[in-house]
Amino acid sequence: MAGAIRLVLGDQLSHSLSGLADLDKERDVVLMAEVIEEVTYVRHHKRKVAFLFSAMRHFADELRDEGITVDYIQLDDEANSGSFSGEVVRAVKRHGAERLVLTEPGEHRVLAAMRGWEDELGIDVEIRNDDRFMCPAGMFESWAEGRKQLRMEFFYREMRRHHDVLMEGGEPVGGKWNYDADNRESPDLKLTVPKPTFFTPDETTAEVLALVADRCAGHFGDLDDFGFAVTREQALAVLDAFIAERLPLFGTYQDAMIADEPWMYHSHIGFYLNSGLLLPGEAVRAAEAAWHTGHAPLNAVEGFIRQILGWREFVRGIYWLKMPDYAAMNYLEAHRPLPDFFWSGDTGMNCMQQSIDQTRRFAYAHHIQRLMVLGNFALLAGIDPAEVNEWYLVVYADAYEWVELPNVSGMVLFADGGYLASKPYAAGGAYINRMSNYCSGCTYKVAKKNGEGACPFNYLYWDFLIRNREKLGGNARMGMMYRSLDRMAPEKVEMIRADSARFLERVVPETEGSLT
Ligand code: FAD
Ligand code: DLZ
Ligand code: SF4
């Protein structure tokens, strides 16, 4: 045979993938490879590796069932070279291929390698657009051109118009673009949160779990009670169950956190969207349909659709527009190392301990845990963006650089100086107390502002403002906070500084040359 090799990566598990279009079943071969370089360039959470490998193996079986030839390289295959580049070289030789066809990857690092393949292999390499996103190639660039700061809300309106989602006669249904004013209530502890949709591992998943337990023994995370969907059919069942059981309360409890309730009213489809088992358009249309039938209210449906049609597309646009420089940004010059307890969960701060513990168990935490607990701590403590980014990329099963990096560097750490977010999402303990029941089980006292036993978020919040006054003092949206700071008695400011210095020196000692 002398057809094309069609390379499919672990996060490209979509039958409609551009790299699979016009495939010639007689002559072409699909190449899929489990490679140690992808598993260890950051040491991914065990559950994430198991999920992807099992989903990849199932996807390969589905292609074979369609009569497509698949050359699938397992991690433990003897001749496995360990990298995408090495496996492509071997496969081209093995099959005498005259062309390589692929879909652009989700990471700048991988795209840079792919761009060298034509020279390396001496055959045509065709890199196709990834059309599984809702913002068509080039549209984001045109929209962003000439804007100094990008705001998701305006981009989202363009996307609503472009795809005619929740629109009526050119106007947003209900008369408003955004219904967040009706959302984000404190948790209701009387409610029984529906159980998440999990699946019993089949033989393929069981094999992969054993492989990962052996080869990733030193990686962060647990494999127990693995229940993720590993096929499109299962992923669709997760989406259906979300629409039926959780969507109506999605908006109301979007920001709420309850101890030992990791899943709340969120959809848990990020794993499947980002690996290609689900497409964003089908999630958006399913939610829109639930509003039309009266099953879910507009505040919930609009809020959910905004996350996918707005935020997800927006951060992807920023990633490709700003890479590779975006990864090195550190506007606030934060240089403290990541505290060990981000891995061990060994901290007296119950909000952090709960969020880290469930991250270890499930490779999942919902948005507010990522943003306002874990991220807020990293921001206030001045942790180095490179270390924070690596942690987030490792620990979440939905994490790929295109989506993780703008969320961490842009939304959480303000490392891009305000390109993505108009102000840092900094908050003291009162916010966490309002949105969760964590504080009642904590060794610290949320109502106490300073001294022994005071909630660290309380003094770290003000210390963050003091340390970063030069960079943030002129931000109009921070004006009220700085005016409150200026009204504080000097002794109070002294206590804040002393408490913060003591706490940070204990949990995140500065390295030499630190600028925080
Ligand atoms: P839901 O809350 O049910 O939301 C539905 C979907 O909307 C998600 O599945 C996701 O596809 C999309 N979405 C929601 N918020 C965002 C957002 N801010 N950016 C992009 N998509 C969004 N999301 C990832 O997919 N991968 C990541 O690596 C990732 N890292 C994050 C890191 C930080 C610091 C923060 C603050 C957020 C991060 N997010 C990331 C966004 C968000 O937290 C997750 O998408 C969400 O928690 C996934 O759970 P879910 O599927 O239950 O989402
Ligand atoms: C995340 C990941 C892991 C852990 N392993 C593999 C793998 O062995 N083979 C593969 O094709 N893809 C894997 N991935 C996903 C890739 O890292 C991802 O495709 C690139 O980062 C580009 O988005
Ligand atoms: Fe977190 Fe402070 Fe509440 Fe403890 S008291 S759970 S540290 S916010």
Side-chain angles (χ1 to χ4, degrees), residues 242 250 254 263 265-271 273-274 304 306-309 311-313 315-316 364-372 375 392-393 396-405 407-409 411-412:
F242 164 70
F250 174 86
Q254 198 177 341
W263 308 102
Y265 290 88
H266 292 267
S267 66
H268 328 133
I269 61 167
F271 320 121
L273 287 173
N274 296 351
F304 176 69
R306 182 162 15 98
Q307 307 311 311
I308 296 179
L309 188 58
W311 279 112
R312 186 169 185 270
E313 298 291 331
V315 299
R316 177 173 184 260
Y364 178 82
H366 73 64
H367 188 64
I368 292 306
Q369 295 171 310
R370 296 188 206 196
L371 179 65
M372 299 307 296
Y392 276 95
L393 189 56
Y396 293 114
D398 53 31
Y400 300 88
E401 198 183 68
W402 65 266
V403 53
E404 171 276 320
L405 179 66
N407 269 298
V408 171
S409 278
M411 197 184 300
V412 164

Side-chain angles (χ1 to χ4, degrees), residues 349-351 429 432 438-439 442 444-446 455-457:
M349 291 179 282
N350 195 35
C351 53
I432 296 173
Y438 291 150
C439 299
C442 187
Y444 296 99
K445 298 279 162 278
V446 71
C455 167
F457 282 92

